[in-house]
Amino acid sequence: MKTSSFKEVFRLQFNALMMIIIKGALKQKRKLLVRRFKQEALFCEMGEAKLNEQGNVDKYSCDTTTFPVLHFTVQISEIVSIVFRKIKT
């Protein structure tokens, strides 16, 4: 046999082995993606209560009104301060 035929056989066997390895890697990747997809929950599919558990509401100084009471500064929300002002007048 010629050396070129050995090279051709070796190349074909190597290509076949690489195809088997690539198919196995793709199979594992697909299994991993399926497993992740089963555990994943989209935000659009979550209920309002579940979404509220996930994050915090930021508190800014412009959203509150401060009142000096004795030697303390009390901060109350804007809605409560409107009610207090209406009661005061």
Side-chain angles (χ1 to χ4, degrees):
M1 287 182 97
K2 297 180 185 177
T3 57
S4 63
S5 65
F6 285 120
K7 287 181 181 178
E8 185 68 21
V9 169
F10 181 76
R11 185 181 65 79
L12 291 173
Q13 287 177 348
F14 180 78
N15 286 343
L17 181 63
M18 289 297 110
M19 293 299 278
I20 291 171
I21 290 172
I22 290 170
K23 285 181 183 177
L26 286 174
K27 194 178 204 181
Q28 288 178 350
K29 184 68 173 180
R30 287 184 186 127
K31 282 183 181 180
L32 177 69
L33 290 175
V34 167
R35 201 174 319 129
R36 282 186 186 171
F37 184 71
K38 285 181 181 177
Q39 296 174 355
E40 188 177 89
L42 301 176
F43 286 122
C44 62
E45 294 175 352
M46 286 185 171
E48 190 69 29
K50 192 74 169 175
L51 283 175
N52 290 337
E53 291 176 6
Q54 298 296 324
N56 296 337
V57 177
D58 294 335
K59 295 180 181 177
Y60 300 103
S61 60
C62 61
D63 294 336
T64 61
T65 303
T66 58
F67 290 106
V69 178
L70 299 174
H71 297 290
F72 299 100
T73 303
V74 178
Q75 290 184 341
I76 57 173
S77 69
E78 195 66 35
I79 297 169
V80 176
S81 69
I82 293 170
V83 172
F84 280 154
R85 287 183 184 143
K86 286 184 180 179
I87 291 173
K88 193 175 183 182
T89 58

